Amino acid sequence: MSDLAVMLQSFLAVPLHFTVEFLGFLITAGGAGLVLTRPALVPGSAFNRVAASAGFAVLAATQVAHGGAFLENDGADLLVAGRALGLVLILVGVVGTLGASSSASSSSAAVAFSVKKPLLFAPAGAALLLALTAFSASARDGMRSMRRLGIAALFLGAAEILTSSVPNVRFSATTDEVFAYAAHGVKAAGFVAMGAWLWAGVRSSIRTRFVASFVTLLVVVVLVLSSALTGVISNNVQDDELDRVSAQLRNATGSLERADLNDVLDKTRASVSTLTSNPLAASPTEAKSVAARLRAQFNLDFVMFVRPGAKGGLHAFSGSGPYVNDANGDPRRTDTDDNLILGLNGSDVKQAVVGPGASEVAASAQAITQEAVALIAARRIVIDGRTVGALLAGQYVDALEMERISGSAATAFATVIVDRKILASSLPCRELSANEILPRGQARDLETTGELTLQRDICNRPYFSAARFLSSASNVPVATIVLSSPASLVAQTREAFTKILFLVAIGIGAVALLLAWLSGRRITRPIQALTATAREVREGDLNVTAAVVGDDEVGQLGETFNEMTTSLLRMTNDLREAAREEHHLRDRIETIIQSMADGLIAVDARKNVLAFNREAEQLVGVDSTAAMGKPVEEVVHARDSQGQEVRLPIYDLAEGSVAGAFVERDGTTIPVAVTCAVLRGDDGELTGGVAVLRDMSREREIERMKSEFLSNISHELRTPLTPIKGYAEILGRKDIPPEKAQQFARGILESTDRLERIVELLVDFSAMEAGRLSPKTTPVDVGEILSKVVTRWQTRATRHHLEVDVKARLPRVLGDKRLLERSIEEVLDNAIKFSPDGGTIRLEARVASSRNGATRRNVEVTITDEGIGIPPDDLHKIFSDFQQLDGSETRTYGGLGLGLAFVQRIIDAHSGTIDVQSEPDEGTRFTISIPAATKAKTAPASAPVPVDN
């Protein structure tokens, strides 16, 4: 095992495994709860969310089973099946958001059963399908977070493929499999990506975000502490195991070097003391017999007698070869050979007792050959004060000795190595090499330190080993003893600790989750109350207050929020009041503007129309909606009387007036007077302008009517004055016969009457307009008035035929007899004036009923002529002041244009009505209707107001 692998195992393996598995448990357990409560994660039906939640729950269970070392190997069938099932259930949930597809299931089956061990690749196949489905779902609107799930599934699938390469790795024991570390790293990336996907469902809730953040922080702390604790305890257990093996090795080698050597030495001393004669003086056969007896008596591997000198001094030898491991690993005694005997005979121990300056006894471990190591003791044999030789005895350090050391070290296995060759080993495996047990690098370190500990995979199993030299009496290394203890004890300790720590971490996480949830509830409940209150405020209820109290920041926030809503309510009320006042003011201004008799046009600084009132619409002929926002020059076009364009001051945002201008409307021109002013802001800056357009049609019409009236009155006054003046001049210059004089006098009288009627009409009309003429309210006989009027006009209208039809028992009316007579006479005058010679004029009077709130009787007077008639378009003009249908100076018919207007006023003053019906060239029919007098009103009314004549 490499130094890097040892370091990873010591400081990274178990903590990495614990961290990744615990992280996976937290993510999958969180996912099991979130997909049920957050439809945004799995937008399908409830069944899809339940399936996905079940899948996450299954994955969480597998994380507990493996992370807690309940199932140690990643490739355990139950774990693989659980991971595959969990991913498939999540796939079902995600597929439900797109619509189930038969190809998905068939593809999964193809992946699962296309390999030799399909179960190992089932999770990878499910993860790949989940990734493809998630990526497909991420293309839809609102499901982009599915991309993160797809990335997580890809990582998890890659981790499953790596895991399938080394399914039996146990992180509780030593491992140098790179794929195992890579699988855990990729799996961690997958869990992080899955956590990022779950965050999309967490971030929509403050409470959940708080819980997730709190738990994440706590989990990080737990993971760091747990990982550190796991690493420390794991390393401590490992170090303790190494120390234990090292102590056992020291005991074993110490026993060989001291206790066992002393035991052999004692046995050699005892053997010499039992000698009754000099064996070196006996024959070699007799001496070998003595040696055999001593070997059996003292349980020695070999006994030999030697003479002083070099290797050739062997006299007798009794013994066997060392124990070696047979094909089954059991100790088997070997035979001796010449090399072994020569090696024993030439040992340093022999020279120590028979050579120059020799001592009486000597003992040491000795490498006899490359195949054998022995513990040798020698004792000098002295006969008659003379050294005759020595007795050598000993025991082999062989397979049997390794078995004995293994037995004394409980679970450890001993190995003896000489010159990079294994002489004997109690390890339960064959075909071992010295480099597998003790690499050359560690062997060189051992030469420096004399003792070392190491971790190695021997025969594909992890071991904790200790190596130590077996030295001779002169402290020269003779052999290397390696004591190897299986890592199962450490692995069991790690697994037990991991289970406890994993369960404790889960418990701490659950408690942390509960505390975070409760704390989050305490924090978010006031926030939720504030949110609900803010929502009501947004909907317009400013009277609502948040029931949030406390001395902390949230309580202060609630108090501040309530103060804010109170302030908003006060400000809103003020604004509403100001808005109401502004609205009323604006309405009044708008009403004033719209009610203006003049057109108003307002423009801004860019000369675009801002205001356009109703009168302006009437004058210009443009709707206000079409005019708003347009340049004023495009809306108002002014021309002079010659048709030339007039540039108004408003075009240049200047002040001034323009008279005598005309604007076009529907093909007609309207005379207007335009007055322009500019608008300035508080700083004097020009902000716009206003133009007032006054319709001058009425003034022009009044001017025209005045001119016509003056022309008419001069004409009407000259008409009767001319005969008066002519007849008077004739009567004054000549003697006229009496008959002619009487004729001239009658002409003068007739003209005088006509002139008097004109003057009287002018006086009465002026008095009525000034309010100085009020009708008298006396009972009036309408039939009598008609008879009187007809009688008077028959002498005047000799060229017309007058007919009168007065119904019998005609009721009287209340009114002014003179004014009623005047009104009938004015209508009759018009009928005679506009009727041809010989025409018939018919006057009728009858009783008619009308319903005006209650049935009442009216007296109707109808005057019908056969004159020129009135066009329908001019009927509304005939009752206007100074209005004549032909107002030219060359007109055929005379008159002031006040007769019918005067009649209208008289009839209105009597609460009556006047109606006209006419057809051109067919005549006209005037109907005057006056309410009949009731019995209660037959008495004369109060005295009339005098008429100022």
Side-chain angles (χ1 to χ4, degrees):
M1 185 176 187
S2 65
D3 295 338
L4 177 61
V6 172
M7 183 186 68
L8 289 176
Q9 174 59 34
S10 300
F11 298 101
L12 184 61
V14 175
L16 172 66
H17 176 72
F18 177 87
T19 300
V20 172
E21 298 303 323
F22 188 66
L23 175 64
F25 165 74
L26 292 176
I27 296 297
T28 53
L34 285 175
V35 295
L36 282 177
T37 58
R38 294 293 184 272
L41 293 173
V42 181
S45 64
F47 170 77
N48 302 129
R49 290 192 293 274
V50 170
S53 176
F56 279 109
V58 172
L59 290 180
T62 61
Q63 293 301 121
V64 173
H66 185 47
F70 297 101
L71 294 175
E72 301 168 2
N73 296 333
D74 274 317
D77 291 346
L78 187 58
L79 284 178
V80 173
R83 292 196 296 267
L85 176 61
L87 291 171
V88 168
L89 289 174
I90 298 174
L91 174 64
V92 170
V94 176
V95 167
T97 64
L98 300 175
S101 171
S102 59
S103 61
S105 60
S106 61
S107 299
S108 177
V111 172
F113 292 103
S114 61
V115 295
K116 180 179 285 188
K117 294 183 178 180
L119 186 58
L120 286 176
F121 287 88
L128 178 60
L129 288 177
L130 176 59
L132 295 176
T133 305
F135 283 130
S136 299
S138 66
R140 297 191 174 189
D141 293 337
M143 299 179 66
R144 293 184 178 178
S145 63
M146 281 290 181
R147 186 177 305 170
R148 300 174 185 174
L149 179 60
I151 295 173
L154 284 179
F155 277 121
L156 293 178
E160 291 295 338
I161 293 175
L162 292 172
T163 299
S164 65
S165 301
V166 283
N168 297 320
V169 168
R170 292 172 56 189
F171 273 80
S172 58
T174 57
T175 177
D176 57 358
E177 295 289 352
V178 177
F179 284 129
Y181 291 100
H184 276 65
V186 174
K187 185 185 294 185
F191 288 140
V192 171
M194 186 176 292
W197 171 65
L198 293 175
W199 181 255
V202 169
R203 62 187 180 186
S204 61
S205 170
I206 294 179
R207 184 177 184 180
T208 311
R209 289 172 61 185
F210 172 79
V211 172
S213 301
F214 181 80
V215 170
T216 300
L217 179 60
L218 185 59
V219 163
V220 169
V221 174
V222 169
L223 284 178
V224 171
L225 294 178
S226 300
S227 299
L229 186 60
T230 302
V232 169
I233 293 179
S234 178
N235 290 332
N236 288 340
V237 172
Q238 174 179 299
D239 293 341
D240 290 344
E241 180 65 12
L242 289 173
D243 291 342
R244 185 182 70 84
V245 174
S246 180
Q248 289 177 345
L249 179 61
R250 283 195 297 270
N251 292 334
T253 56
S255 175
L256 288 174
E257 293 174 343
R258 293 184 299 275
D260 289 358
L261 280 176
N262 291 335
D263 181 60
V264 172
L265 187 59
D266 291 341
K267 292 178 179 180
T268 303
R269 184 182 295 111
S271 297
V272 173
S273 64
T274 61
L275 293 176
T276 57
S277 60
N278 182 8
L280 295 172
S283 65
T285 301
E286 292 176 351
K288 182 178 181 179
S289 176
V290 173
R293 178 178 59 81
L294 293 176
R295 184 171 68 87
Q297 181 181 353
F298 293 102
N299 193 24
L300 294 169
D301 288 336
F302 60 87
V303 175
M304 58 189 303
F305 294 104
V306 296
R307 290 187 177 89
K311 295 181 179 180
L314 177 64
H315 179 64
F317 174 83
S318 175
S320 62
Y323 281 90
V324 296
N325 298 108
D326 61 11
N328 296 322
D330 297 326
R332 176 181 60 81
R333 174 71 77 178
T334 60
D335 296 330
T336 60
D337 56 21
D338 293 341
N339 290 330
L340 179 63
I341 295 173
L342 288 174
L344 291 174
N345 189 30
S347 65
D348 295 337
V349 178
K350 170 188 173 183
Q351 298 301 321
V353 296
V354 298
S359 61
E360 182 181 358
V361 293
S364 177
Q366 183 88 35
I368 303 169
T369 65
Q370 291 184 348
E371 304 293 338
V373 174
L375 300 178
I376 306 174
R379 185 173 183 82
R380 187 169 52 193
I381 301 175
V382 179
I383 301 296
D384 298 331
R386 182 174 63 87
T387 300
V388 295
L391 182 148
L392 273 67
Q395 296 175 348
Y396 296 112
V397 181
D398 55 7
L400 189 62
E401 184 65 26
M402 296 299 103
E403 290 286 351
R404 184 187 66 79
I405 293 175
S406 297
S408 63
T411 59
F413 300 96
T415 303
V416 58
I417 301 174
V418 176
D419 293 335
R420 306 299 304 159
K421 181 179 180 181
I422 297 176
L423 299 186
S425 177
S426 61
L427 284 167
C429 56
R430 306 279 66 82
E431 298 182 0
L432 286 172
S433 67
N435 193 62
E436 188 175 0
I437 298 177
L438 183 65
R440 293 185 181 275
Q442 276 78 10
R444 287 192 293 270
D445 294 339
L446 181 62
E447 293 175 359
T448 302
T449 61
E451 181 180 349
L452 60 80
T453 57
L454 66 161
Q455 302 175 41
R456 291 294 297 168
D457 278 353
I458 304 174
C459 299
N460 297 321
R461 293 189 62 187
Y463 284 87
F464 293 98
S465 300
R468 185 180 179 86
F469 284 133
L470 177 64
S471 301
S472 65
S474 58
N475 204 26
V476 175
V478 175
T480 301
I481 305 298
V482 179
L483 192 63
S484 301
S485 176
S488 57
L489 179 60
V490 175
Q492 292 172 1
T493 304
R494 285 174 174 169
E495 291 169 3
F497 177 74
T498 301
K499 289 179 182 178
I500 296 173
L501 189 60
F502 201 88
L503 295 176
V504 169
I506 292 176
I508 292 175
V511 172
L513 179 63
L514 178 61
L515 293 178
W517 182 261
L518 295 177
S519 299
R521 182 182 181 186
R522 181 178 178 275
I523 293 174
T524 58
R525 179 177 291 178
I527 296 177
Q528 291 172 348
L530 286 173
T531 303
T533 304
R535 189 176 295 112
E536 295 184 22
V537 171
R538 181 188 63 186
E539 294 174 355
D541 186 3
L542 297 179
N543 293 310
V544 67
T545 58
V548 177
V549 295
D551 298 330
D552 55 5
E553 290 83 354
V554 178
Q556 294 175 7
L557 176 62
E559 183 178 354
T560 304
F561 184 86
N562 290 335
E563 293 175 356
M564 180 190 70
T565 56
T566 302
S567 177
L568 282 175
L569 179 61
R570 182 172 60 255
M571 294 172 61
T572 302
N573 291 335
D574 294 342
L575 288 174
R576 286 175 179 171
E577 184 63 28
R580 280 195 295 269
E581 293 179 359
E582 181 183 0
H583 179 71
H584 293 330
L585 178 60
R586 183 174 298 176
D587 285 346
R588 288 195 294 269
I589 294 175
E590 184 69 19
T591 301
I592 293 172
I593 291 175
Q594 293 298 332
S595 301
M596 288 177 62
D598 298 332
L600 178 69
I601 302 174
V603 298
D604 58 16
R606 293 182 294 179
K607 306 174 188 177
N608 295 329
V609 175
L610 288 178
F612 204 78
N613 72 348
R614 190 177 297 110
E615 186 62 23
E617 293 179 343
Q618 296 295 326
L619 289 175
V620 180
V622 177
D623 189 77
S624 61
T625 57
M628 297 296 289
K630 290 186 176 180
V632 66
E633 294 186 51
E634 297 181 7
V635 178
V636 181
H637 304 280
R639 301 185 182 277
D640 58 17
S641 59
Q642 303 300 322
Q644 298 297 320
E645 184 177 353
V646 176
R647 187 163 186 83
L648 301 177
I650 191 68
Y651 294 167
D652 303 315
L653 293 182
E655 296 183 347
S657 300
V658 175
F662 295 85
V663 294
E664 293 186 2
R665 183 185 67 187
D666 299 332
T668 61
T669 58
I670 301 174
V672 294
V674 183
T675 302
C676 300
V678 297
L679 301 176
R680 298 184 183 276
D682 296 337
D683 55 357
E685 183 181 358
L686 189 66
T687 60
V690 176
V692 178
L693 284 68
R694 182 178 179 81
D695 188 355
M696 301 302 293
S697 300
R698 179 65 177 168
E699 285 76 0
R700 286 179 175 269
E701 181 66 18
I702 292 174
E703 189 67 26
R704 183 191 63 79
M705 291 173 61
K706 182 173 72 172
S707 299
E708 288 184 2
F709 174 71
L710 292 176
S711 175
N712 290 342
I713 197 170
S714 63
H715 178 270
E716 291 297 319
L717 290 176
R718 280 197 302 268
T719 299
L721 284 176
T722 298
I724 291 174
K725 182 178 180 181
Y727 288 147
E729 287 179 351
I730 294 173
L731 291 175
R733 287 197 306 265
K734 298 179 181 181
D735 291 332
I736 304 298
E739 295 83 4
K740 283 288 185 182
Q742 290 180 357
Q743 181 182 357
F744 289 164
R746 286 195 301 271
I748 292 173
L749 288 175
E750 290 177 357
S751 297
T752 303
D753 289 340
R754 184 175 181 180
L755 182 60
E756 184 180 14
R757 287 182 63 252
I758 292 173
V759 173
E760 186 178 355
L761 176 60
L762 289 173
V763 172
D764 286 346
F765 187 84
S766 176
M768 183 168 285
E769 282 293 302
R772 296 193 303 271
L773 179 62
S774 300
K776 297 178 181 179
T777 54
T778 58
V780 177
D781 187 348
V782 176
E784 181 182 347
I785 293 176
L786 287 177
S787 298
K788 183 177 179 180
V789 170
V790 169
T791 300
R792 184 166 53 247
W793 279 89
Q794 280 179 343
T795 59
R796 298 177 183 175
T798 56
R799 296 188 298 272
H800 296 81
H801 178 64
L802 300 179
E803 293 182 356
V804 179
D805 182 9
V806 178
K807 301 300 180 181
R809 303 183 62 147
L810 195 65
R812 296 191 175 195
V813 297
L814 287 178
D816 192 312
K817 182 178 179 180
R818 185 181 69 85
L819 293 178
L820 289 175
E821 185 177 339
R822 285 290 305 275
S823 62
I824 294 174
E825 195 170 9
E826 286 293 335
V827 176
L828 180 59
D829 183 30
N830 274 348
I832 293 172
K833 184 190 301 183
F834 294 104
S835 294
D837 293 344
T840 299
I841 299 173
R842 183 176 179 83
L843 288 82
E844 298 178 86
R846 66 177 186 272
V847 178
S849 298
S850 67
R851 190 170 187 86
N852 186 12
T855 303
R856 72 176 184 180
R857 296 192 304 163
N858 294 329
V859 176
E860 288 187 353
V861 177
T862 302
I863 301 173
T864 305
D865 63 53
E866 298 175 347
I868 62 175
I870 304 171
D873 294 339
D874 294 331
L875 285 176
H876 67 284
K877 299 179 181 178
I878 62 177
F879 294 106
S880 300
D881 299 342
F882 307 106
Q883 182 69 42
Q884 286 188 315
L885 299 183
D886 183 6
S888 65
E889 295 183 356
T890 60
R891 64 187 184 274
T892 304
Y893 305 100
L896 297 176
L898 291 176
L900 291 178
F902 184 61
V903 171
Q904 177 77 59
R905 284 172 170 78
I906 293 174
I907 300 304
D908 288 342
H910 286 79
S911 301
T913 61
I914 182 170
D915 184 45
V916 59
Q917 298 176 356
S918 179
E919 292 291 338
D921 301 325
E922 293 185 5
T924 304
R925 178 186 179 92
F926 283 91
T927 300
I928 298 173
S929 179
I930 300 174
T934 61
K935 294 181 179 181
K937 295 182 179 180
T938 56
S942 58
V945 177
V947 177
D948 186 4
N949 293 328

